[in-house]
Amino acid sequence: MDTCLFCKIIAGEIPSACVYQDEKTFAFRDISPMAPTHVLVVPKQHVTGMDGIDELDDATLAACLRTCKRVAEMEKLTGGFRTISNCGPDAAQSVRHLHFHVLGGKQLSEKLD
Ligand code: DGP
């Protein structure tokens, strides 16, 4: 999608700190990290968010979750990690391209809101 920030990052038109990519997914460091490890995992195919996943085939959706796990392993998050996907205004989603935050490397808050 021409105007999507994360599509531009995937295409390399905007620089990012990529930590992993494969045929279906792209993982890069969040520009405003909220933990020692804060990586965003996105499908290369543009969909708006969790509300758009019916446009993805199951293999792509599964690949996103597998990439989250792979990133946690690469980052050595042996104590655990959190995976979050914000969807829509009530969840404060700011970039309308499906993404999973992978957070870890410290004791995270019990609060999710
Ligand atoms: P969300 O609020 O769930 O839509 O998360 C969007 C995240 O995207 C937010 O944590 C900050 C990150 N972000 C926004 N713009 C950029 C950018 O240009 N580069 C990178 N690496 N991350 C970005």
Side-chain angles (χ1 to χ4, degrees):
M1 199 204 197
D2 289 353
T3 57
C4 171
L5 174 65
F6 287 174
C7 285
K8 289 180 180 173
I9 286 175
I10 294 162
E13 295 166 14
I14 292 175
S16 71
C18 177
V19 297
Y20 174 81
Q21 65 172 313
D22 58 26
E23 180 193 349
K24 296 180 185 297
T25 68
F26 193 88
F28 58 103
R29 296 196 190 281
D30 194 290
I31 203 167
S32 304
M34 298 181 70
T37 289
H38 187 169
V39 171
L40 301 173
V41 173
V42 304
K44 288 185 173 176
Q45 179 183 338
H46 179 87
V47 293
T48 51
M50 286 297 293
D51 53 350
I53 62 169
D54 288 348
E55 296 168 36
L56 293 178
D57 60 34
D58 288 350
T60 302
L61 195 51
C64 288
L65 297 183
R66 291 194 188 285
T67 295
C68 291
K69 176 179 178 277
R70 183 183 288 259
V71 165
E73 288 170 352
M74 291 171 61
E75 295 286 310
K76 300 185 170 42
L77 301 180
T78 54
F81 61 97
R82 180 171 290 161
T83 305
I84 296 173
S85 186
N86 297 318
C87 182
D90 280 2
Q93 183 184 11
S94 60
V95 181
R96 287 290 278 161
H97 182 126
L98 176 63
H99 53 280
F100 298 89
H101 298 256
V102 178
L103 297 149
K106 71 171 187 180
Q107 178 63 60
L108 299 168
S109 164
E110 290 181 11
K111 288 191 64 166
L112 288 178
D113 65 348

